[in-house]
Amino acid sequence: MVIKHKFILKTENAWSDANEGLLCMDTGSWRTARPVLDKEKCNYCGLCALYCPPQCMKDMGDYYEVDLAYCKGCGVCAKECPRDVISMVPEGEFTDG
Ligand code: SF4
Ligand code: SF4
C-alpha cells in the first residue's frame, strides 16, 4: 500500500486551506537529534511524510528525504516507519550544525 498525500507544505505552519501556509518557523534550530534514513530499506510507503508534524519530508520519487531546515527532531517518523528505516541520531554526532 502506498499512501500519497497531496498537501505537503514547505514549512512548519498552520494552514487555512491546505495550499497556503500561514506561518513559517525556523523549527530546524530546535532539534537535538536528526532522523537518518536508510533509503535502501525504504519502500516509499509515505507514512513518515504523512505523520511528520511540520511536513518536512521531501518526496524524492522513490524515497523520502528530510528537510533539515524544518525538521525539529521529534522522532515521529522513526516511530511510524514500519520498516525501521529511520534512526534518530544525536545532533552532536554531526559537524554541519
Ligand atoms: S523527526 Fe521526523 S517527524 Fe519529526 S520533524 Fe523531523 S522528519 Fe518530521
Ligand atoms: S522511511 Fe519508512 S515510513 Fe517513510 S516511506 Fe520509507 S518505509 Fe515508509
Side-chain angles (χ1 to χ4, degrees):
M1 180 179 67
V2 174
I3 298 171
K4 300 294 290 179
H5 61 302
K6 296 184 347 190
F7 301 134
I8 292 182
L9 300 170
K10 284 193 298 191
T11 62
E12 171 86 355
N13 58 73
W15 57 85
S16 58
D17 64 3
N19 290 309
E20 293 288 329
L22 296 177
L23 179 66
C24 173
M25 299 178 73
D26 178 20
T27 43
S29 65
W30 305 346
R31 194 176 53 246
T32 58
R34 76 173 62 173
V36 176
L37 283 71
D38 179 353
K39 66 181 181 185
E40 299 300 317
K41 289 166 59 181
C42 175
N43 69 352
Y44 193 48
C45 69
L47 285 174
C48 54
L50 186 67
Y51 283 103
C52 173
Q55 294 289 285
C56 66
M57 282 284 184
K58 296 188 288 188
D59 186 341
M60 306 304 287
D62 57 358
Y63 69 99
Y64 286 88
E65 205 169 87
V66 178
D67 184 342
L68 292 172
Y70 299 105
C71 169
K72 52 187 165 186
C74 64
V76 170
C77 54
K79 284 277 186 195
E80 296 298 337
C81 175
R83 298 173 69 100
D84 292 328
V85 169
I86 304 172
S87 306
M88 297 305 294
V89 180
E91 275 300 315
E93 297 186 17
F94 299 92
T95 55
D96 63 347

